[in-house]
Amino acid sequence: MNEFYDRRYDQKDFYWGVKPSAICYRILDLIPPDRGIKLLDIGCGEGRNAVFFAGKGYAVTAFDTSSVGVEKTKRLADKAQVQLDVFVADINEFRFSETFDVIFSTGVLQYIPMGIRSEILGNYRKFTSPNGIDALSVFVKKPFIAGAPDAESTSHSWISGELLTYYQDWRIEFTTEEIFDCMSSGIPHQHAISRVIARKEI
Ligand SMILES: C[S@@+](CC[C@H](N)C(=O)[O-])C[C@H]1O[C@@H](n2cnc3c(N)ncnc32)[C@H](O)[C@@H]1O
């Protein structure tokens, strides 16, 4: 249950749009969907990335705390005529019981309080298949960027480089930190986002 995002998503339009995040195309190159690749989208929102991956042939599982987001994801998947398994779950309570070839998340890990990050990221690492990848993007705090006008109180900032520290012994396929303009909420603002794609090389 997530009243904040339920309210935000409770409209015909898609708050984050329906185009996939640009990082999705890197995953297509790094681990093409040619052998039933299992992909998990953590905090799928209204489904733009999960449905994109399913359309490309990945076996997609996705979850979010917003039941409205999950229902919109199902509708987007139906419209695109693709199959995926999507359900309501909380990133702070969800623990893996099966491995995935791709663990994907964008703009969600800031909901993990600092004290349990290491345990949760450890769980992701453990349940990534050999040669699989974790592709994670998280908002980071910068002193020169004001807080977003639509930020939630449950959000816990990350710092530059922090995400990489969890993948020191994996192959870093891609990493970047970007500052981008955002019009969510209708008020122009900026975000800094750190992205890491790491491969569990064996
Ligand atoms: C910035 S949006 C990103 C949505 C999606 N990943 C995308 O790129 O379109 C953040 C998402 O995190 C979800 N979220 C917030 N707290 C969460 C939690 N504790 N567990 C799982 N998802 C959560 C929200 O419902 C929202 O859909």
Side-chain angles (χ1 to χ4, degrees):
M1 165 129 179
N2 185 332
E3 282 178 19
F4 182 90
Y5 274 99
D6 280 350
R7 270 199 306 276
R8 187 174 268 187
Y9 293 160
D10 193 13
Q11 52 170 315
K12 189 168 166 288
D13 290 341
F14 282 70
Y15 193 83
W16 308 112
V18 293
K19 282 194 194 146
S21 168
I23 194 99
C24 297
Y25 294 95
R26 285 189 184 272
I27 291 160
L28 282 182
D29 287 342
L30 287 168
I31 187 159
D34 53 8
R35 52 174 178 90
I37 298 286
K38 284 172 62 188
L39 181 148
L40 175 69
D41 183 0
I42 297 170
C44 61
E46 301 156 295
R48 62 187 179 126
N49 300 317
V51 169
F52 168 81
F53 285 127
K56 294 293 179 190
Y58 294 88
V60 175
T61 303
F63 72 83
D64 197 286
T65 36
S66 165
S67 53
V68 178
V70 165
E71 286 309 311
K72 281 177 98 171
T73 299
K74 287 181 187 167
R75 288 206 298 277
L76 195 62
D78 285 348
K79 199 171 165 207
Q81 298 185 305
V82 298
Q83 303 282 324
L84 46 73
D85 178 20
V86 59
F87 52 90
V88 175
D90 187 323
I91 194 172
N92 293 315
E93 285 158 23
F94 181 87
R95 296 295 180 275
F96 292 72
S97 54
E98 58 178 310
T99 57
F100 288 89
D101 303 300
V102 183
I103 295 178
F104 174 89
S105 182
T106 181
V108 183
L109 302 190
Q110 68 275 12
Y111 299 110
I112 306 174
M114 206 172 294
I116 58 170
R117 275 179 201 164
S118 173
E119 188 251 313
I120 289 185
L121 271 290
N123 187 245
Y124 296 174
R125 287 167 49 99
K126 180 174 174 191
F127 284 91
T128 305
S129 312
N131 288 316
I133 59 174
D134 287 5
L136 306 173
S137 306
V138 65
F139 294 116
V140 291
K141 200 173 173 60
K142 292 284 179 188
F144 51 87
I145 296 182
D150 54 352
E152 323 66 11
S153 57
T154 51
S155 177
H156 311 271
S157 296
W158 287 58
I159 58 169
S160 284
E162 184 181 351
L163 188 53
L164 261 179
T165 64
Y166 292 103
Y167 292 96
Q168 284 175 355
D169 53 344
W170 287 26
R171 178 186 290 267
I172 304 302
E173 298 276 18
F174 174 78
T175 185
T176 186
E177 184 173 288
E178 300 150 28
I179 293 173
F180 65 93
D181 298 322
C182 185
M183 276 301 289
S184 65
S185 76
I187 302 168
H189 57 280
Q190 289 190 312
H191 293 285
I193 194 159
S194 164
R195 301 185 193 278
V196 171
I197 304 181
R199 189 183 296 273
K200 185 179 188 175
E201 209 158 271
I202 47 160

